[in-house]
Amino acid sequence: MKTIIEEPFEEKNATALAVGTLVISTILFILYVASNESPNILVIAWPFAFSAILVNFIMFIHLVDNFIKRPNQRKYILNKILILLVNIPIVYLYYNIVTKM
């Protein structure tokens, strides 16, 4: 019988990515509101939002893959997934506020 030794999974980039994209999107939202809906801010914000969605989705796929492959560390990985997914309702709120202005 072969023993499989599983290396510990430590993913610090997921939290940094989630917090970083949340902070940057919050700053862009505040700048947009403070600048009386300046379209110049949107020129920066929309490409950032698109790239943030893409990068966060790639990180989500990476975490789900590790969630499936590492059953002993699912609780840790699930916490990382939840931290990443917290951005969705916040950014959705920002989007609704901007489109209603």
Side-chain angles (χ1 to χ4, degrees):
M1 188 166 181
K2 197 174 191 182
T3 305
I4 299 173
I5 299 173
E6 189 173 306
E7 294 180 18
F9 179 74
E10 291 187 24
E11 183 60 62
K12 297 175 183 169
N13 294 331
T15 304
L17 177 66
V19 171
T21 55
L22 179 64
V23 167
I24 293 171
S25 61
T26 301
I27 289 170
L28 289 171
F29 175 72
I30 291 170
L31 284 173
Y32 180 74
V33 172
S35 69
N36 293 324
E37 304 171 25
S38 172
N40 294 332
I41 303 297
L42 291 178
V43 169
I44 298 167
W46 286 116
F48 170 77
F50 177 74
S51 62
I53 290 169
L54 181 65
V55 172
N56 278 302
F57 181 72
I58 292 169
M59 180 60 75
F60 176 74
I61 297 299
H62 169 70
L63 289 171
V64 168
D65 180 50
N66 281 294
F67 183 83
I68 294 168
K69 289 180 180 177
R70 301 173 186 264
N72 296 335
Q73 298 176 333
R74 285 190 173 159
K75 185 176 180 182
Y76 176 78
I77 297 170
L78 184 62
N79 286 333
K80 296 295 181 180
I81 290 172
L82 292 175
I83 290 170
L84 195 67
L85 293 178
V86 163
N87 282 335
I88 294 172
I90 295 170
V91 172
Y92 182 71
L93 174 71
Y94 292 167
Y95 174 76
N96 279 336
I97 292 171
V98 167
T99 57
K100 303 276 186 214
M101 292 179 121

